[in-house]
Coordinates of all heavy atoms in Angstrom, one line a residue:
V197 N -11.2 36.7 -42.7 CA -10.1 37.2 -41.9 C -8.8 36.5 -42.4 O -7.7 37.2 -42.5 CB -10.2 36.8 -40.4 CG1 -9.0 37.2 -39.6 CG2 -11.5 37.4 -39.8
Y198 N -8.9 35.3 -42.8 CA -7.7 34.5 -43.3 C -7.2 35.2 -44.6 O -6.0 35.5 -44.7 CB -8.0 33.1 -43.5 CG -6.8 32.3 -44.1 CD1 -5.8 31.9 -43.2 CD2 -6.7 32.2 -45.4 CE1 -4.7 31.3 -43.8 CE2 -5.5 31.6 -46.0 CZ -4.5 31.1 -45.1 OH -3.4 30.6 -45.6
N201 N -5.5 38.6 -43.9 CA -4.4 38.8 -43.0 C -3.3 37.7 -43.0 O -2.3 37.9 -42.5 CB -5.0 38.9 -41.6 CG -5.9 40.0 -41.4 OD1 -5.4 41.2 -41.2 ND2 -7.2 39.8 -41.4
C202 N -3.6 36.6 -43.6 CA -2.7 35.5 -43.5 C -2.2 34.9 -44.8 O -1.1 34.5 -44.9 CB -3.3 34.3 -42.7 SG -4.4 34.8 -41.3
G204 N -1.2 36.1 -47.5 CA 0.0 36.7 -48.1 C 1.3 35.9 -47.8 O 2.2 35.8 -48.6
C205 N 1.3 35.3 -46.6 CA 2.5 34.6 -46.1 C 2.2 33.0 -46.1 O 3.1 32.3 -46.4 CB 2.9 35.0 -44.8 SG 3.6 36.7 -44.7
H206 N 1.0 32.6 -45.7 CA 0.7 31.2 -45.5 C -0.1 30.6 -46.7 O -1.1 31.3 -47.1 CB 0.0 30.9 -44.2 CG 0.8 31.3 -43.0 ND1 1.7 30.4 -42.5 CD2 0.8 32.3 -42.2 CE1 2.3 30.9 -41.4 NE2 1.7 32.1 -41.2
M246 N 4.4 33.3 -52.5 CA 5.6 33.6 -51.8 C 6.7 32.6 -52.0 O 6.5 31.4 -51.9 CB 5.3 33.8 -50.3 CG 6.5 34.2 -49.5 SD 6.1 34.4 -47.8 CE 5.6 36.1 -47.8
F255 N 12.1 36.2 -42.6 CA 11.6 35.9 -41.3 C 12.5 35.0 -40.5 O 12.2 34.7 -39.3 CB 10.2 35.3 -41.4 CG 9.3 36.1 -42.2 CD1 8.8 35.6 -43.4 CD2 8.9 37.4 -41.8 CE1 7.9 36.4 -44.2 CE2 8.0 38.1 -42.6 CZ 7.5 37.6 -43.8
A257 N 12.4 32.0 -40.7 CA 11.8 30.7 -40.9 C 10.7 30.9 -41.9 O 10.1 31.9 -41.9 CB 11.2 30.2 -39.6
A258 N 10.5 29.9 -42.8 CA 9.5 30.1 -43.9 C 8.1 29.9 -43.2 O 8.0 29.0 -42.3 CB 9.7 29.1 -45.0
P259 N 7.1 30.8 -43.5 CA 5.8 30.5 -43.0 C 5.3 29.2 -43.4 O 5.2 28.9 -44.6 CB 4.9 31.7 -43.6 CG 5.9 32.6 -44.2 CD 7.2 31.9 -44.5
P260 N 4.9 28.3 -42.5 CA 4.5 26.9 -42.9 C 3.1 27.0 -43.5 O 2.3 27.9 -43.3 CB 4.5 26.2 -41.5 CG 4.3 27.2 -40.5 CD 4.9 28.5 -41.0
L262 N -0.6 26.1 -43.7 CA -1.5 26.0 -42.5 C -2.7 24.9 -42.7 O -3.6 24.9 -41.9 CB -2.1 27.3 -42.1 CG -1.1 28.4 -41.7 CD1 -1.9 29.7 -41.3 CD2 -0.3 27.9 -40.5
V265 N -2.6 22.8 -39.6 CA -2.1 23.3 -38.3 C -3.1 23.1 -37.2 O -2.7 22.9 -36.0 CB -1.7 24.8 -38.5 CG1 -2.9 25.7 -38.6 CG2 -0.8 25.2 -37.4
R269 N -1.6 21.3 -33.9 CA -1.5 22.1 -32.7 C -2.7 22.1 -31.8 O -2.6 22.4 -30.6 CB -1.2 23.6 -33.1 CG 0.1 23.8 -33.8 CD 1.3 23.7 -32.9 NE 2.4 24.4 -33.5 CZ 3.6 24.5 -32.8 NH1 3.7 24.0 -31.6 NH2 4.6 25.1 -33.4
W273 N -4.7 25.7 -28.7 CA -3.4 26.3 -28.9 C -3.5 27.5 -29.9 O -3.0 28.6 -29.6 CB -2.4 25.3 -29.4 CG -1.0 25.7 -29.5 CD1 0.0 25.6 -28.6 CD2 -0.4 26.4 -30.6 NE1 1.2 26.1 -29.0 CE2 1.0 26.6 -30.3 CE3 -0.8 26.8 -31.9 CZ2 1.9 27.3 -31.2 CZ3 0.1 27.4 -32.7 CH2 1.4 27.7 -32.4
L274 N -4.1 27.2 -31.0 CA -4.2 28.2 -32.1 C -5.0 29.5 -31.6 O -4.5 30.6 -31.8 CB -5.1 27.7 -33.2 CG -4.4 27.1 -34.4 CD1 -5.4 26.8 -35.5 CD2 -3.4 28.2 -35.0
Y277 N -2.6 31.3 -29.4 CA -1.4 31.8 -30.1 C -1.8 33.1 -30.8 O -1.0 34.1 -30.8 CB -1.0 30.7 -31.1 CG 0.0 31.2 -32.1 CD1 1.3 31.5 -31.8 CD2 -0.3 31.3 -33.5 CE1 2.3 31.9 -32.7 CE2 0.6 31.8 -34.4 CZ 1.9 32.1 -34.0 OH 2.8 32.5 -35.0
L278 N -2.9 33.1 -31.5 CA -3.3 34.2 -32.3 C -3.6 35.5 -31.5 O -3.5 36.6 -31.9 CB -4.5 33.9 -33.2 CG -4.2 32.9 -34.3 CD1 -5.5 32.4 -34.9 CD2 -3.3 33.5 -35.3
F296 N 4.0 30.8 -28.1 CA 5.1 30.3 -29.0 C 6.3 31.2 -28.8 O 6.4 32.3 -29.5 CB 4.6 30.3 -30.5 CG 5.5 29.6 -31.5 CD1 5.0 29.1 -32.6 CD2 6.9 29.5 -31.3 CE1 5.8 28.5 -33.6 CE2 7.7 28.9 -32.2 CZ 7.2 28.4 -33.4
D298 N 9.5 33.3 -28.8 CA 10.5 33.7 -29.8 C 10.1 33.3 -31.3 O 10.9 32.9 -32.1 CB 11.9 33.1 -29.5 CG 12.5 33.7 -28.3 OD1 11.9 34.7 -27.8 OD2 13.5 33.2 -27.8
V299 N 8.8 33.3 -31.5 CA 8.3 33.0 -32.8 C 8.8 34.0 -33.9 O 9.1 35.1 -33.6 CB 6.8 33.0 -32.8 CG1 6.2 34.4 -32.7 CG2 6.2 32.3 -34.1
G300 N 9.0 33.4 -35.1 CA 9.5 34.3 -36.2 C 8.5 35.1 -36.9 O 8.8 35.8 -37.9
M301 N 7.2 34.9 -36.5 CA 6.1 35.6 -37.3 C 5.9 37.0 -36.7 O 5.8 37.2 -35.5 CB 4.8 34.7 -37.1 CG 3.6 35.4 -37.7 SD 2.2 34.2 -37.7 CE 0.9 35.3 -37.3
P302 N 5.8 38.0 -37.6 CA 5.5 39.3 -37.1 C 4.0 39.3 -36.6 O 3.3 38.4 -36.8 CB 5.6 40.2 -38.4 CG 6.1 39.3 -39.5 CD 5.9 37.9 -39.1
A304 N 0.9 39.9 -37.3 CA 0.1 40.2 -38.5 C -1.2 40.9 -38.1 O -1.9 41.4 -39.0 CB -0.1 38.9 -39.3
L305 N -1.7 40.8 -36.9 CA -3.0 41.3 -36.5 C -3.0 42.5 -35.7 O -4.0 42.9 -35.1 CB -3.7 40.1 -35.7 CG -3.9 38.9 -36.5 CD1 -4.0 37.7 -35.6 CD2 -5.1 39.0 -37.5
L396 N -11.5 32.6 -37.1 CA -10.3 32.2 -37.8 C -9.9 30.8 -37.5 O -9.6 30.0 -38.3 CB -9.2 33.2 -37.6 CG -7.8 33.0 -38.2 CD1 -8.0 32.8 -39.7 CD2 -6.9 34.2 -38.0
L400 N -9.8 27.4 -39.8 CA -8.6 26.6 -40.0 C -8.9 25.2 -39.5 O -8.3 24.2 -40.0 CB -7.4 27.2 -39.2 CG -6.8 28.4 -39.8 CD1 -5.8 29.1 -38.9 CD2 -6.2 28.1 -41.2
Ligands
HEC705 C1 4.4 38.5 -42.8 C2 4.2 37.1 -42.9 C3 3.2 36.4 -42.1 C4 1.8 36.7 -41.9 C5 1.1 37.8 -42.6 C6 1.3 35.7 -41.1 N1 2.2 34.8 -40.7 FE1 2.0 33.1 -39.5 N2 4.0 32.8 -39.6 C7 4.9 33.5 -40.3 C8 6.2 32.9 -40.1 C9 7.5 33.4 -40.7 C10 6.1 31.8 -39.3 C11 7.1 30.8 -38.8 C12 7.6 31.3 -37.4 C13 8.6 30.4 -36.7 O1 8.5 29.1 -37.0 O2 9.3 30.9 -35.9 C14 4.6 31.7 -39.0 C15 4.1 30.8 -38.1 C16 2.7 30.7 -37.9 C17 2.1 29.6 -37.1 C18 2.8 28.6 -36.3 C19 2.9 27.3 -37.1 C20 3.5 26.2 -36.3 O3 2.8 25.2 -36.0 O4 4.7 26.3 -36.1 C21 0.8 29.8 -37.2 C22 -0.3 29.0 -36.5 C23 0.5 31.0 -38.0 N3 1.7 31.5 -38.4 C24 -0.7 31.4 -38.3 C25 -0.9 32.6 -39.0 C26 -2.3 33.2 -39.2 C27 -3.6 32.6 -38.8 C28 -2.1 34.4 -39.8 C29 -3.1 35.4 -40.2 C30 -3.8 36.0 -39.1 C31 -0.7 34.5 -40.1 N4 0.0 33.4 -39.5 C32 -0.1 35.6 -40.7 C33 4.7 34.6 -41.1 C34 3.4 35.2 -41.3

Side-chain angles (χ1 to χ4, degrees):
V197 178
Y198 177 83
N201 298 283
C202 321
C205 292
H206 294 279
M246 183 178 272
F255 308 115
L262 295 183
V265 75
R269 297 285 201 177
W273 186 93
L274 260 185
Y277 168 71
L278 293 169
F296 188 154
D298 294 348
V299 69
M301 174 168 141
L305 299 155
L396 180 51
L400 288 171

